[in-house]
Amino acid sequence: MDNNKLADLLFPEIDKTPEDYEKIYPTRWDSDEAGDVIVTRLGPSPTGFIHLGNLYGAFVDERLAHQSQANSGEPGTFYLRIEDTDDKRYVEGAVETIIKSLGFFGIRFDEGATMDDGSKGEYGPYYQSQRGPIYQAFVKDMVRKGQAYPCFMTEDELAAIRSEQEANKETTGIYGKYAEKSRNLSYEEIEANIAEGKSYVVRLKSSDTSGCGNGGKVRYEDREGVTYIHVQDAIRGDVAMPANDQDVVILKANGIPTYHFAHVVDDHLMRTTHVVRGEEWLMSLPIHVELFEKLGFELPTYCHTAVLMKIDEETGNKRKLSKRKDPELSLGYYRKEGYHPQAVKEYLLTILNSNFEEWRAENPEADTDEFKFTTEKMSSGGALFDLDKLNDISKDVLLRIPADELADFLLDWAREFKPQAAPLLEDKEYLAKILD
């Protein structure tokens, strides 16, 4: 197979190379200047629902970036990337909702997507839907190197493979003998399929990467013929799991990348140093490690946060916060109920870092930004969310806020959520005296 010829057949209009994009998006800092600088990102989907988990992760992102410093004294960077490659999930006005909702809690982005559907910063576009040619250039290069291939299997063929695997109690997916048919197509067969208008995806040609190691960030181990990867997670320490053997889809039939591929390319080109995400993504880590290895990218530091839990009132057991059952999962709940954003922030810090409450007791009047946040003090188990504790902390926080500031907050809240009461609060001087 002439892979160069195949790459040109699949991507005739892509003329830029990965090297071109490396020049367009250079490293943010020279090695002498970098120091301990950290670059983080928040990458929500524009679904219109912004929840407590987004805020939880955003606090980690923001603190890690802004508490770090380059040798020049400049802080790190926290940016907003909109992961909108799934048209079916897009909701009009969702980006504005994300920025406004997080802004209410003091989360500010240094660069990224903006309220007017634009972008701020030199590493954009910050909407994945606008980065198609970039992804395709990297996929084309992988095809050229024999690391990826077109797959023409139909939905019926995929369903038949899945049924066979389930009947044999095998791992489902396209790998090993199930991938051979597509892997072994000749150039002429591929060319004929395309000429006939057959739909295809591009798959990763998974293979052993145990000799790579990504500069020491990944360690490989053989256990009875199975290769395991070891990745040092900033929260969980050494994470070990079987290496990837799946020929996962990296480019869908419509030319749009899957999340797996898009986030790897974007995190590299946007020079992300730390990726903060929920523990539900741990199972995908072997795929992402292999993609970073195949593409020749340095692996970022992963920080897999704990799932937010609560005590179920009916069973008394812990369970995940639910969009359907728990109104407190939505960030809109706290605005509607009149919680001060500083109270929510302070409460989340008690969940995020085990030593925050001790620090607060020793520094009762200090600004929370003075607290040194670290991933080492984060729990890898389920983080328990407790509204009663939030209410207790809220009382203490409100006592520390000057009465005139609290009056402004109360009046703004009333105008939005209880307009019939707002006229009674317009005398801010009198209101501040009452609150004092």
Coordinates of all heavy atoms in Angstrom, one line a residue, residues 70 80 122 242 281:
A70 N 5.1 32.0 35.5 CA 6.2 31.8 34.6 C 7.4 32.5 35.3 O 7.2 33.3 36.3 CB 6.0 32.5 33.3
L80 N -11.4 29.0 27.6 CA -12.6 28.3 27.3 C -12.7 27.8 25.9 O -12.6 28.6 25.0 CB -13.8 29.3 27.6 CG -15.2 28.8 27.2 CD1 -15.6 27.6 28.1 CD2 -16.2 29.9 27.3
E122 N -4.8 34.0 20.8 CA -4.0 33.7 19.6 C -4.0 32.2 19.3 O -3.3 31.8 18.3 CB -2.6 34.2 19.8 CG -2.5 35.7 19.9 CD -1.1 36.2 20.1 OE1 -0.2 35.3 20.1 OE2 -0.9 37.4 20.3
P242 N -5.2 -1.6 31.3 CA -4.7 -2.2 30.0 C -4.5 -1.2 28.9 O -5.4 -0.3 28.8 CB -5.8 -3.3 29.7 CG -6.4 -3.6 31.0 CD -6.4 -2.3 31.8
W281 N -14.0 9.8 32.6 CA -13.1 9.8 31.4 C -11.9 8.9 31.6 O -11.1 8.7 30.7 CB -12.6 11.2 31.1 CG -13.7 12.0 30.5 CD1 -14.4 13.0 31.0 CD2 -14.2 11.9 29.1 NE1 -15.3 13.6 30.2 CE2 -15.2 12.9 29.0 CE3 -14.0 11.0 28.1 CZ2 -16.0 13.0 27.8 CZ3 -14.7 11.1 26.9 CH2 -15.7 12.1 26.8

